[in-house]
Amino acid sequence: MGTRIGLYPGTFDPITKGHYDIIARAAKIVDKLVIGVAINIGKGPMFSVEERVAMVREEAKQLTGRDIDVRGYDNLLMHAAVEIGASVIVRGLRAVSDFEYEFQMVGMNRRLNSEIETVFLMASDNHQFIASRLVKEIAMLGGDIRSFVSPRVAEQLIARCAELRRNAGVAE
């Protein structure tokens, strides 16, 4: 049997402690983990794909001794998986609402490529409620985000929110 490559896709806008937890756990069950940062213009990301890839790389560096690669992708997930030789897609689940969406995605992905399995990792208790969308909202409104993201990511997010508020003409 060859190297088992897993692909953990997401927007990571920004990467949260919940994402990091899934990355750390996924890296233990595959030989190589590729973190695929989706371009995902439809979601209107706060950070460019290059910024998000850099953020994820910086966070993943902490997981020494693990074979982890971070790259952007702008095609179908299953095409990205084939390109990197992945046999496993890793997805994190926070709640029942996540399951419903993910269940549909697995069905579609199996139709596109039945050779690639999807593995779900349940969010750890202390990360189940963390969503990038909510973290960005809290940051935009000046709330404390330090318990949801690393200090490095918090600094970047706070700076981006200040920049967006300035550009919108909102007083600090």
Side-chain angles (χ1 to χ4, degrees), residues 48-104:
S48 71
V49 70
E50 295 81 12
E51 290 170 320
R52 291 180 281 134
V53 165
M55 268 191 255
V56 174
R57 272 195 186 122
E58 192 60 36
E59 296 303 300
K61 276 198 317 197
Q62 299 170 66
L63 297 168
T64 57
R66 303 281 179 204
D67 189 358
I68 299 175
D69 184 23
V70 183
R71 60 177 73 171
Y73 75 97
D74 64 353
N75 52 352
L76 278 175
L77 174 60
M78 296 315 271
H79 292 168
V82 168
E83 284 174 11
I84 64 166
S87 58
V88 176
I89 303 290
V90 176
R91 299 294 292 162
L93 290 177
R94 291 178 301 227
V96 174
S97 57
D98 282 353
F99 178 79
E100 214 169 297
Y101 170 78
E102 294 293 344
F103 186 75
Q104 285 183 314

Side-chain angles (χ1 to χ4, degrees), residues 3-56:
T3 302
R4 186 175 43 238
I5 299 172
L7 173 59
Y8 177 38
T11 307
F12 305 103
D13 186 45
I15 181 171
T16 67
K17 289 182 177 180
H19 292 129
Y20 181 83
D21 176 58
I22 297 293
I23 291 166
R25 291 165 49 212
K28 293 177 186 175
I29 61 173
V30 294
D31 301 312
K32 176 179 182 160
L33 180 65
V34 177
I35 304 165
V37 180
I39 304 286
N40 217 338
I41 300 303
K43 278 192 174 180
M46 184 178 277
F47 294 95
S48 71
V49 70
E50 295 81 12
E51 290 170 320
R52 291 180 281 134
V53 165
M55 268 191 255
V56 174

Side-chain angles (χ1 to χ4, degrees), residues 129-150:
F129 59 91
I130 301 175
S132 294
R133 177 181 52 80
L134 297 175
V135 173
K136 287 187 289 190
E137 195 172 313
I138 292 166
M140 278 302 286
L141 296 171
D144 185 0
I145 56 170
R146 290 174 298 180
S147 62
F148 311 126
V149 296
S150 74

